[in-house]
Amino acid sequence: MENKYVKYLRNETLPTEFCVGCGCGTVLNLFCHVIDEMQINPDDIITVTGIGCSSWIPSPYFSADTLHTTHGRAIAFATGVKVMKPGKHVIVIAGDGDLAGIGGNHLIHAARRNIGLTVFLVNNYIYGMTGGQVSPTTPSTVNTATTPYGNVEQPMQIAELVAAAGASYVARWTTYHVFHLKKAMKEAISKKGFSFIEICSQCPTSYGKRVGKREGIDQLLDFKENSMNIQNVSGMREDELEGKYIVGKLVERNRLEFVDGLLNINAQFAEGVR
Amino acid sequence: MENKYVKYLRNETLPTEFCVGCGCGTVLNLFCHVIDEMQINPDDIITVTGIGCSSWIPSPYFSADTLHTTHGRAIAFATGVKVMKPGKHVIVIAGDGDLAGIGGNHLIHAARRNIGLTVFLVNNYIYGMTGGQVSPTTPSTVNTATTPYGNVEQPMQIAELVAAAGASYVARWTTYHVFHLKKAMKEAISKKGFSFIEICSQCPTSYGKRVGKREGIDQLLDFKENSMNIQNVSGMREDELEGKYIVGKLVERNRLEFVDGLLNINAQFAEGVR
Amino acid sequence: MGIKRKKIEIEIDERLCKGCDICVILCSEKVFTISKKINSNGYYVPIPSNIENCNGCLICELICPELAVILEKTELDELVAL
Amino acid sequence: MGIKRKKIEIEIDERLCKGCDICVILCSEKVFTISKKINSNGYYVPIPSNIENCNGCLICELICPELAVILEKTELDELVAL
Amino acid sequence: MNIRFSGFGGQGIILSGVILGWAAVLDGKNAIQTQSYGSSARGGSCKCDVIIQESAIYELEPEHNDILITFSQPSYNAFIKSLKEGGHLFYDSDLVTVDTNEFPCNSIPATDIAFKEFKQKIYANMLMLGFLAEKIRFIGFRAIEKSISQYVPTKTIEMNIAAFRMGIDLAK
Amino acid sequence: MNIRFSGFGGQGIILSGVILGWAAVLDGKNAIQTQSYGSSARGGSCKCDVIIQESAIYELEPEHNDILITFSQPSYNAFIKSLKEGGHLFYDSDLVTVDTNEFPCNSIPATDIAFKEFKQKIYANMLMLGFLAEKIRFIGFRAIEKSISQYVPTKTIEMNIAAFRMGIDLAK
Amino acid sequence: MNNQKYLDSLKNKTLFLQGDEAAAYGALFAGCNFFAGYPITPASEIAELMSRELPKSGGYYIQMEDEIASIGAVIGAVWSGGKSMTATSGPGFSLMQENIGYACMTESPCVIVDVQRSGPSTGQATKGAQGDVLQARWGTHGDHEMIALSPWSSQESFDLMIEAFNLSEKYRNPVIFLLDGEVGHIREKVVFPDINELNIYQRNISLEKIDVFGGQRIPPMIEFGMGQRIHVTGSTHKSNGMRDVSSMEAHDTLIRRIYDKISSNRNEIAHFETHYIDNMDYLAVSYGAAARPTMGAVLKLRERGIKIGFLRLITIWPFPIDICTELGKRTKKIFVPEMNLGQVSREIERFVNCPVESVSKIGGISHTIDEITNYISANI
Amino acid sequence: MNNQKYLDSLKNKTLFLQGDEAAAYGALFAGCNFFAGYPITPASEIAELMSRELPKSGGYYIQMEDEIASIGAVIGAVWSGGKSMTATSGPGFSLMQENIGYACMTESPCVIVDVQRSGPSTGQATKGAQGDVLQARWGTHGDHEMIALSPWSSQESFDLMIEAFNLSEKYRNPVIFLLDGEVGHIREKVVFPDINELNIYQRNISLEKIDVFGGQRIPPMIEFGMGQRIHVTGSTHKSNGMRDVSSMEAHDTLIRRIYDKISSNRNEIAHFETHYIDNMDYLAVSYGAAARPTMGAVLKLRERGIKIGFLRLITIWPFPIDICTELGKRTKKIFVPEMNLGQVSREIERFVNCPVESVSKIGGISHTIDEITNYISANI
Ligand SMILES: Cc1ncc(C[n+]2csc(CCOP(=O)(O)OP(=O)(O)O)c2C)c(N)n1
Ligand SMILES: Cc1ncc(C[n+]2csc(CCOP(=O)(O)OP(=O)(O)O)c2C)c(N)n1
Ligand code: SF4
Ligand code: SF4
Ligand code: SF4
Ligand code: SF4
């Protein structure tokens, strides 16, 4: 017998190559549930991804059209896809290093442009695939393969940044919050315009072991214990929020979607050159 | 007789090549005043810049060490400069296209890293040097050389974005606000950590003429009439703020400066390999 | 509308499970126990030994990183079932 | 501490001025007037024709994009000056 | 025949060249037009070259010109050297002071006339074009007028052609 | 002599190879060590090759191995083909089932012993190294012990050497 | 208005166009319906024209945040049914290199215009050059082949752009359109054809499930949204598109096929033009802007009785080896006027035994006819 | 601890190091005090070692947001007194191309390591290759020369890195350190020297005001903070550094000087090693990883009585033309084993008249000695 959501996967690629207990699998699992519950035909989905463990969630596992691009460029490629296929769900899933590190510029500009992509950024606080180098989201003071004496940089607050850049929908959840996250994924996919979820996820191999959480479950329990809903944090000091995962919906608003904007222009010429 | 601030310029490069009435010259002018009033020896300044009209403010005009880099990369180059010369004032001046368009990723990461650079972003709402193509800050609906039927994108709120990215000091002023801007420049230069001013500036040649403001003064008067201090806008709706320039200081806070962080690590080895 | 009774079946897909034990630990009703049996990929697949305790919260099925938890929830109409 | 009296001199640097007239228009005291005289670069350099009206706000000097406004403000101590 | 138009950005220099080049094509000749652009189009001198030939044109950037038209002192200074021996110089007599008598000179105060007659300095270029076309009869007036009407904004066609014709008259 | 260590990531496979290679160098021989890494080090089989020779080593990736050490069934399956005729197979008898009798086989339940004797499975690799070193006497025990003490964390040197020596004993 | 109507409205028109503009119109005639770009001198005119014309013909123009994003969007559009292109100059072309390799690896048909300017680095931004010829071939990492074309006039810029799209679709490879700042900015007469008489290569699309990345030398494409759930990756992949990054065979098969599909069709892809080669002692080889004064010089030299032939390259990559080899045997010396320090001249050296002399000129001003004439006269 | 003390602590040590690690230690011995990079397989080990060791020697490590930023920071550091480097692999190397051109144009000494992996595009990320050899020469736009070195062992990786820094400083040019994934990841014995006995080229810095960008073939540098208010730009500049983007002469003078400072010193920069060339019928040419099995094959072939010589290139760019030309005259055929589809073999073709045969292997596994031996045996 098989889990009924496995039908959404490319069966020949299973079991996944993710490490034991990796959160990427949970994101994949939830994504299947969401597609199922929303009754979306995978033929109407185009997934776009970059390079990194998290990028493997859609590529190769999820069975839909899949564009596995270069490191950091998923959103740029997805922009071309969405413009030519505005009727499809164009869904980008990739890592923090990929989308917010090297790819940060495409992220903020796509949010600003409000192009109708759905982006799930899997933030595992590290460069997983390359073996555990510091990422833009690695908390300060953590030792990684390239911060052997502790990280002196501040971690990026990606969801807040994307909200400031102009996205139509922004939320943050962790892989522990499977019910909330599932709901948020549905909202994000339904939302017209640029929608974005930062998913805090465990990486036992490359991150967890560096913070004394060697098993996937250890980080999950950390998510469980240290999450706070965004509605409850206003007024709290930066130091009070350290080590906390601020979850919840940050933004939901309506603005002109980019491809609609282009289509409006083209419509002006529908009857002749103006 | 000569204006006494001209001594801060490379005299043989004058008069500037800026168009008549361009705001870049005002930024240059104010910068000279600031250096003079702060009694900073230009030998202690290293200016770093990208490609574009605004990048010409330091290069070639301001007489200090000048690193004129590739388009969008000024902050990346400046990072190497600051790490090796933490005692110097490393000042980046460039345009919106350069620093927030192609260079947006370096901008947000430098802000996050909180490296002690001072960045003056001259926002003229257009790609000036290349002849008036749409920029990430061009207001919606404006016709440019590459948006002949109106811009369908939303303009980027750069100062807000840099604030969200983690900068230590963020302000926005216009070239009309010479006194405020001068003061802000001083604050930015004095501030430890990443400091940033978005300077709204007129570009009669490439932008002004497209919005019916053909002379530099026309845009200056627009700045004068349509600016609102950030302290007075909270609670206002997006549509009420359209066409307004929100000026003032957005952020001032203290965080560990990046190069200090590196120096702390090196200090641990001052007496031997640990 | 009658009272519903739920019938739940749980199985773990041996082919897919990697023995991370997340289901074991996060199940509030302790439905799963760690096994000693290795599957062909070298992983210890948990055993859903206390299915009767399951409250149908679905967390195991949703959170399993390998889509290995097979959970079938059949809702039986009490009136009919009686 | 006595009362200060300001002496102001204004000149425009012909070499640098590009005739944008920003100083002319933004000066609240109408110190400058547009000229008909072209400089060697082909620009019309304004004339600081009403220096006596100057209130010393400095905006012309600060805002001139060409650093062409030469403004000398000498503060004379009233007591000494008397 | 190599013709160079020169002056400040905003004086319609490049448009003059494009119109002339296209007129030459309409007249059955070969023509290419090139221009200087970018930062030098903002501050300093701006130029626009047109080569017109019966035969195929293989040269891209003429070293020397047969005709130089200039609307500003800096551009005159910069380009007078490029004029061939025996070449013709055209200039706006209000804006340019000529310091050589090597060349046959033709000048009108085009900008001033334009402002006086058409209320806008911008018509100076068409005035000069007419003046040039009459002085050096190498492209048919018809072709030039057709070219003008294709390149200027529809609303200004009439004015531009009027200016062009006035230039012709001034040359007579 | 080409030696391949193989198993899962986390079993200390690569460390074994590095220690052996360095020991060979300490023993005055030439040695190179290579490993597979990256994504395949996470999921599937992981391997570490060591080439030891008296003469200079020009080959980089041996096609065939003289010795294969394996700690998992998948890696056994993957690499048994790489073993030369007459090559020696070493494996953890609890984790690997051998389906051929082409090769001289040497096995101990290293992981189980490690867990029982040293409370941690991770010492299985040093047990196996000792076992191998005694069975195939090609590198001095001294050199190996010196290499171990340079490569394992200071606090675990003693335990690792104890495991190594127990491996030797088991082979006697 | 759809593409057909739009193109009908341009039928047989004659215009006075810059090489850049002609290239853009060529793209529209070729069926280009997606352009993503970033402004840069001297290529911005292409973007500007496309932003104005594409909406009229039912296509889409987007200005991206940089050149990397531009080429990314272009490739994304290709797989979503677009005929797509971008245009840039040296600095942007350098930035695009990683994703140009991706386009090669995924066999994504698209056209990348590089309007070459005087480099390296920012160089002389407003001056033309031919300094990116070898970069067009070798700019991205790893083994690959490349198609690159270089027109010498506005009319050829138009015509060749259609050919660029055709080759790109036919060989499923990116095509580099190597304009130079000179040709890009000359304005000259261009005559448009009747679209109905043009030969536009239609993308070879399979409606059935097939191997999109192997099985045949140039497999047909399947696009997104066709329900085939294709997998496109720049990692080494099997013929069905699925990643296989550890097998030597998978890599060898894939890369050699991609390589061979171009190099084995060299003679079909390689366009050139010859003049006076039947009766020559010397040979001039040139292309793009430099070919014009070279042609002028050849005419002059022949007038003077010097027996010189002329080979004008139109396709630069894959390099027209056969014609070079053959002509190399029949000439005492080859002169190669180029606006660079000698790039095509190097390639020629591989195939001939006679001396090859680069007549190089840099600094943004094209050779004059006299310069080339005199140089050749003095060096024969 | 300062650099001197740190290096003293490493004096005469023997370690078992990967080629990557050896390269990093080489850089530390050469005085490298700034590293900016971005992780990528198979180059990450260099960054990791530098992040650990640089602080000990008083230097600085920074991980940037991408490779473009990394090379940018490296160049910024150079002008601020740093001896600086970065390390990447193909995808990152492609991204760096624009700023590598900037480094050439501004004559900024720095070292860029490219640990080549199997491409194009993402290819086989964990497999080694030699596919970026021509990219190292031509990857950036515009005319430029390049220095590139390629070691074949961990020890040479260490030694050659010191040479890389020396050449970079001496010629004021970026140096590409062309490691390959194979050599980068082999672990073998490395013996460190005594720093005091090493020849470290000290940057030529002028304390007086001089022309930093001209006047002499390789002008001394002036760094930021010396009170000289220098002007550094990637646009065409006069010898004093000030931009001059319209004069042909300024460009021609600058670019030809930058070009000639490398190419005219070709024989001083070009290192190679020859074996058995005095008595040969055939010649093998190789470098980097492929040179090892080639050496093994040459030994085997000679044992079998086949008179084959071996030229191992250490410097790839500027290409060692003279030795190739000379040996080309004395051999019937040249065999070039490379882990690519033939890159150095193409360059050799320019200079010899005998047949040049590429013995190419791709797919991430290096040639075996037998493969090369058999190939050569079968093809002589
Ligand atoms: C241009 C380029 N630079 C670097 C790499 C190497 N690389 C592969 S994945 C990765 C980062 C992975 O981190 P993240 O995106 O956070 O994904 P994760 O593996 O942590 O899920 C990097 C740097 C690459 N493939 N391409
Ligand atoms: C990589 C690269 N892409 C594009 C360009 C062309 N370019 C030069 S300046 C510029 C933009 C200028 O806009 P901005 O930075 O806003 O400065 P402004 O001229 O408006 O002050 C561009 C796109 C370039 N030089 N390099
Ligand atoms: S390295 Fe981390 S992110 Fe990657 S598969 Fe393993 S646990 Fe998951
Ligand atoms: S184009 Fe605009 S920004 Fe550039 S110099 Fe002119 S006015 Fe200033
Ligand atoms: S959560 Fe899934 S993979 Fe983990 S032990 Fe349970 S069934 Fe197995
Ligand atoms: S503001 Fe300056 S440049 Fe403008 S007119 Fe006045 S003095 Fe001249």
Side-chain angles (χ1 to χ4, degrees), chain A residues 51-54 71 95-98 102 124 126-130, chain G residues 98, chain H residues 38-41 67 91-92 95 117:
Chain A
I51 304 285
C53 300
S54 318
H71 185 42
D96 48 308
D98 188 278
I102 188 170
N124 60 10
I126 200 85
Y127 284 6
M129 179 157 275
T130 44
Chain G
E98 187 196 10
Chain H
Y38 188 78
I40 189 166
T41 305
E67 289 87 348
L95 287 172
R117 67 190 217 185

Side-chain angles (χ1 to χ4, degrees), chain H residues 202-249:
Chain H
Q202 294 304 327
R203 182 170 296 176
N204 188 0
I205 290 180
S206 165
L207 298 173
E208 282 149 55
K209 191 146 198 85
I210 48 136
D211 277 359
V212 182
F213 299 96
Q216 30 190 317
R217 183 165 268 171
I218 309 170
M221 284 177 79
I222 291 175
E223 293 170 352
F224 293 154
M226 290 173 63
Q228 301 268 24
R229 309 201 185 167
I230 55 168
H231 189 270
V232 182
T233 177
S235 291
T236 300
H237 42 275
K238 292 180 285 211
S239 58
N240 65 358
M242 299 308 290
R243 195 164 47 227
D244 179 353
V245 295
S246 52
S247 135
M248 193 186 100
E249 292 67 35

Side-chain angles (χ1 to χ4, degrees), chain E residues 73-120:
Chain E
Q73 194 65 38
S75 64
Y76 165 82
N77 296 344
F79 300 128
I80 185 69
K81 292 180 297 284
S82 76
L83 198 52
K84 260 184 210 161
E85 228 186 279
H88 292 261
L89 174 67
F90 289 80
Y91 61 96
D92 186 309
S93 50
D94 276 358
L95 302 176
V96 179
T97 312
V98 169
D99 56 3
T100 169
N101 45 25
E102 264 181 70
F103 308 101
C105 282
N106 305 278
S107 74
I108 41 169
T111 307
D112 194 54
I113 301 176
F115 191 70
K116 288 195 178 125
E117 301 286 333
F118 303 97
K119 308 270 176 295
Q120 277 192 288

Side-chain angles (χ1 to χ4, degrees), chain B residues 15 27 61 68 99 130 133 136 156 164 168 192 208-209 224 269:
Chain B
V27 176
Y61 304 116
H68 189 189
L99 289 171
T130 44
Q133 298 82 11
M156 178 178 269
S168 285
K192 188 101 193 166
K209 71 168 181 195
K224 178 180 176 183
F269 294 102

Side-chain angles (χ1 to χ4, degrees), chain G residues 41-247:
Chain G
T41 305
S44 301
E45 286 84 352
I46 301 179
E48 292 171 9
L49 194 144
M50 291 306 257
S51 74
R52 193 185 71 214
E53 298 298 314
L54 269 174
K56 297 183 190 168
S57 74
Y60 304 95
Y61 169 88
I62 174 168
Q63 185 172 312
M64 296 295 287
E65 52 276 12
D66 64 19
E67 288 88 349
I68 300 176
S70 301
I71 175 81
V74 160
I75 300 170
V78 166
W79 287 97
S80 309
K83 264 198 168 181
S84 66
M85 74 180 291
T86 185
T88 186
S89 183
F93 192 52
S94 288
L95 287 172
M96 288 183 185
Q97 290 304 331
E98 187 196 10
N99 282 334
I100 291 175
Y102 181 92
C104 292
M105 189 69 158
T106 53
E107 304 174 74
S108 304
C110 57
V111 174
I112 297 139
V113 185
D114 174 15
V115 190
Q116 299 162 87
R117 66 189 217 186
S118 184
S121 197
T122 310
Q124 298 173 294
T126 62
K127 304 278 176 185
Q130 299 181 302
D132 308 348
V133 171
L134 282 162
Q135 184 192 26
R137 177 69 185 83
W138 299 109
T140 193
H141 61 282
D143 289 296
H144 60 283
E145 261 288 0
M146 194 47 84
I147 302 177
L149 311 174
S150 186
W152 77 334
S153 69
S154 289
Q155 182 69 52
E156 190 169 81
S157 192
F158 176 89
D159 297 336
L160 208 54
M161 180 56 86
I162 296 170
E163 177 70 4
F165 271 96
N166 283 351
L167 290 173
S168 176
E169 293 292 346
K170 181 160 180 197
Y171 293 101
R172 268 189 68 185
N173 209 72
V175 170
I176 312 296
F177 199 73
L178 271 179
L179 265 168
D180 47 65
E182 303 286 324
V183 173
H185 275 155
I186 321 169
R187 198 174 258 107
E188 46 185 356
K189 181 171 104 173
V190 176
V191 185
F192 291 162
D194 178 345
I195 180 68
N196 303 301
E197 285 160 17
L198 272 185
N199 182 0
I200 304 294
Y201 190 93
Q202 295 304 326
R203 181 171 296 175
N204 188 0
I205 290 181
S206 165
L207 297 173
E208 282 150 53
K209 189 144 199 88
I210 48 136
D211 276 359
V212 182
F213 299 96
Q216 31 191 314
R217 184 167 267 171
I218 309 171
M221 284 177 78
I222 291 176
E223 292 170 352
F224 293 154
M226 291 173 63
Q228 302 268 25
R229 308 200 186 170
I230 55 168
H231 188 271
V232 182
T233 176
S235 292
T236 300
H237 42 274
K238 293 181 285 210
S239 57
N240 65 359
M242 299 308 290
R243 194 165 46 228
D244 179 352
V245 295
S246 51
S247 135

